[in-house]
Amino acid sequence: MEGFRVLGGEILEGQVRLDGAKNAVLPILAASLLPEGETVIRDCPDIRDVHAMAGILKTLGCDCFWRRGVMRIQNSGLKHWEMPDGLSKQIRSSIFLLGPILGRLRRATVTYPGGCEIGLRPIDLHLKGLRALGVQIVDEGGAIYCDGSKMHAGDVYFDYPSVGATENVMMAAALLPGVTTIHNAAREPEIEDLQQFINRMGGRVHGAGTQLIEIEGVQALHGIDYAPIPDRIVAGTLMCAAAVTGGRVEICNVHPWDLIPVMDKLKEMGCRIAEEGEALTVDAPERLRAFSILQTQPHPGFPTDMQAQMLAAACLARGTSVIVENVFENRLSHVADLCRMGADIRVSGRTAVVQGVEALRGQRVTARDLRGGAALVLAGLAAEGETVVENIGLIDRGYARLEEMLSGLGARIQRIQLTTEEHHVSAAFTP
Ligand code: UD1
C-alpha cells in the first residue's frame, strides 16, 4: 500500500510539459485494433489505465511495447474476441473495446467494466448504439456477448451525450460499409482527437466536436505514428495547485480553448491567466475568492473531471462557493476527508456548499476515486503540517508520478510505503 506524504505551505512555481491525455489515449489504444500494421502512440502517459489497456490488447493477441512514453501496437496477431475478466474490471474503458473488436472480428465478449466508483455508470447507451448497427447482444451472468455477423451502418441517437458510447460507435462503424450517423453525440475534445486519429489512418469521420457525427465506413485502415492531445485535466489540476498555494505555474503545451470553463472559474477566484500560443500561465493571488456556482455538464460545460480539484480550491477561498455535480451521481466522496482537514462543506444530494476557511490542517486521508484523490493532494499542498493520502493507486490511474511533477514545482511531497497496520488505523477514522 503506497501513499503520498505532503508537507503543506510551499508556494508552487515553475513550468510543466504535459503528456497525452488519458481520455484521448485510451480510446486511441482501443482504435489501434482497427488498422492493419503497426501503430505508434507518442506522449503516452505512464499511468495505470494505459498499462491495463495495453494488457487487455495483449490478451487479445496484440504485441504492445511501452518505452519512455512511446507505445507500439502490432495487431497482426489479433484473434481473441473475449476480454479478460480481471483486467476489464479494472478499467471502465474496456467497454469501448467492443466497437473495434466487433469492427475487426464481428464478435466480442466483455464482462461488466470497472473503473472509479463514482456512480452507477450503466452501459445502456453503448449497447443501444451497437444494436443500432445490427449487433445482436446477449447480456447474461455479468457478461455481454455480441454477435456482429449482421452488422451494418445505421442511425444512432443517444438520449445523453455519453463520451464512451460515442467513441464506441465511431470505432465500430469505421470499417462498416455505408454511412453511420450519431445524433446527440458527445463533443469532448478527446472525441475530436479520436476522429483525427481514425482519419489519419485512412478513415472518413466528420463532425466530431459537434452533436452530429458521420462515419463513412472504409474497407481498410493503415497503422500510423500519432501524438494525442495534451491532458487538459492534468493541466487543470496543476492550475489548481498554483491557485491553492498562491503560486505561479506555466503549462507549456496546452490547448487553452479546451480549458475555458476552468479558466473562467479560476479567474473568478482572482487568478490571473496569461495565454501565449499553446502556453498558459496561472498567477494566483495570496487568498482566493469564492466563485458563485460551478455546475458540471457535458462539454463544452464545466468538466466533471475538474470538479473535485475546484472544490478543494474553494475550501480556502474567501466566501461561499456552490458546486453542483450533474454528470455522475456519486462524485463528492472527497468531501468527508476535506472536512476532516478543517473544510466547511455541506452536501445535499448532488450539491456541495463550500464556506471557505482561513486554513486547512494536515490529516491522514484516503483517495476514493481518481480526481477526488488529486483534490486531497491539492488540499495537502495548502494545509498546515503533514497530510498523508492513502490508496494512491487510484491517483496513479490518471496522473503519471504526480509527486515528481509537483516536486518539480517546489512542493514537498513524496511517495511512501504504508504498512498494513498503518492503513488499518487510518481506515478506522474513515467516515
Ligand atoms: C468519460 C471519461 C471520464 C469522464 C466522463 C464524463 C474516459 C476514459 N473517461 O467517461 O473521465 O468523467 O467521460 O466527461 O474518457 N451513462 C449512461 N449510460 C451509458 C453510458 C453513460 O447512463 O451507457 C451515464 C453515466 O452513468 C454518467 C454519464 O452518462 O452519468 C456520463 O458518462 P460518459 O460520458 O459515458 O462517461 P465515460 O465515457 O464513462
Side-chain angles (χ1 to χ4, degrees):
M1 165 67 73
E2 288 184 324
F4 284 141
R5 176 184 290 137
V6 188
L7 277 173
E10 300 298 325
I11 294 173
L12 298 204
E13 273 174 346
Q15 233 183 25
V16 181
R17 193 182 173 279
L18 302 169
D19 285 332
K22 159 183 158 302
N23 289 353
V25 171
L26 292 173
I28 283 173
L29 284 174
S32 70
L33 293 178
L34 293 170
E36 283 156 25
E38 188 182 69
T39 305
V40 179
I41 315 290
R42 298 192 182 267
D43 291 337
C44 198
D46 188 8
I47 54 175
R48 280 205 181 181
D49 276 14
V50 160
H51 294 298
M53 180 61 98
I56 298 178
L57 296 181
K58 281 184 196 167
T59 60
L60 296 174
C62 302
D63 288 323
C64 299
F65 304 98
W66 190 90
R67 192 157 180 263
R68 293 197 192 152
V70 179
M71 181 80 84
R72 291 174 188 278
I73 306 112
Q74 175 54 258
N75 69 19
S76 50
L78 172 68
K79 54 183 180 295
H80 302 292
W81 57 84
E82 290 184 329
M83 273 177 266
D85 196 18
L87 279 172
S88 41
K89 279 199 169 128
Q90 267 176 36
I91 53 167
R92 176 166 169 88
S93 321
S94 53
I95 188 70
F96 54 53
L97 277 162
L98 279 181
I101 298 178
L102 280 162
R104 280 294 297 277
L105 304 176
R106 291 289 191 265
R107 62 160 118 171
T109 303
V110 64
T111 43
Y112 268 89
C116 281
E117 297 299 327
I118 54 174
L120 292 171
R121 301 189 97 172
I123 55 167
D124 53 322
L125 297 170
H126 295 256
L127 303 186
K128 179 181 180 184
L130 295 175
R131 281 196 177 104
L133 304 185
V135 180
Q136 313 268 317
I137 299 173
V138 179
D139 179 350
E140 212 174 64
I144 300 151
Y145 304 90
C146 300
D147 172 0
S149 54
K150 298 194 181 109
M151 272 174 88
H152 52 72
D155 261 310
V156 178
Y157 170 75
F158 286 131
D159 311 84
Y160 182 91
S162 155
V163 175
T166 300
E167 292 166 341
N168 218 342
V169 171
M170 285 166 75
M171 293 186 271
L175 293 170
L176 280 182
V179 178
T180 292
T181 308
I182 308 177
H183 304 263
N184 199 23
R187 291 182 280 165
E188 269 64 6
E190 291 76 17
I191 290 177
E192 285 185 67
D193 206 35
L194 179 62
Q195 166 176 286
Q196 169 131 325
F197 178 69
I198 296 175
N199 289 350
R200 287 265 314 277
M201 296 193 294
R204 293 203 194 112
V205 185
H206 315 277
T210 76
Q211 290 167 328
L212 193 81
I213 301 180
E214 281 186 340
I215 307 113
E216 203 181 318
V218 294
Q219 271 200 330
L221 296 167
H222 54 82
I224 54 164
D225 191 321
Y226 192 77
I229 54 171
D231 199 313
R232 64 192 166 109
I233 305 302
V234 174
T237 306
L238 294 170
M239 290 161 81
C240 285
V244 295
T245 61
R248 187 175 192 278
V249 171
E250 180 186 346
I251 303 164
C252 310
N253 60 326
V254 72
H255 293 177
W257 187 256
D258 297 340
L259 279 159
I260 284 176
V262 176
M263 290 198 285
D264 182 66
K265 287 293 162 238
L266 287 173
K267 284 180 190 165
E268 198 180 330
M269 297 180 95
C271 295
R272 278 180 299 158
I273 300 180
E275 288 175 45
E276 206 182 313
E278 295 222 324
L280 199 153
T281 307
V282 183
D283 205 341
E286 218 167 282
R287 179 137 193 229
L288 297 167
R289 289 191 300 267
F291 48 79
S292 51
I293 184 159
L294 178 164
Q295 299 217 47
T296 65
Q297 303 283 355
H299 193 79
F302 192 95
T304 172
D305 286 352
M306 278 303 302
Q307 173 263 106
Q309 302 89 314
M310 291 298 294
L311 194 150
C315 290
L316 284 159
R318 186 175 289 120
T320 309
S321 308
V322 177
I323 292 182
V324 186
E325 173 55 61
N326 290 307
V327 178
F328 290 104
E329 66 282 3
N330 186 20
R331 208 175 193 180
L332 290 168
S333 60
H334 37 286
V335 166
D337 272 333
L338 289 170
C339 289
R340 291 177 60 242
M341 295 176 77
D344 179 352
I345 309 165
R346 273 165 297 135
V347 173
S348 169
R350 291 166 175 249
T351 303
V353 179
V354 187
Q355 178 65 51
V357 293
E358 291 277 338
L360 295 175
R361 50 178 189 275
Q363 265 288 1
R364 189 172 271 263
V365 292
T366 306
R368 289 163 210 285
D369 68 59
L370 163 57
R371 307 301 172 187
L376 296 176
V377 172
L378 294 178
L381 293 174
E384 291 166 356
E386 180 183 292
T387 297
V388 172
V389 183
E390 297 183 343
N391 205 22
I392 59 170
L394 285 174
I395 300 177
D396 293 336
R397 287 191 43 214
Y399 295 90
R401 292 181 296 279
L402 184 59
E403 73 280 21
E404 286 178 19
M405 206 174 349
L406 293 172
S407 301
L409 296 171
R412 287 201 284 168
I413 174 170
Q414 53 181 171
R415 186 176 287 262
I416 55 170
Q417 289 296 329
L418 296 167
T419 62
T420 323
E421 203 174 64
E422 273 179 312
H423 177 58
H424 282 323
V425 170
S426 78
F429 289 119
T430 303

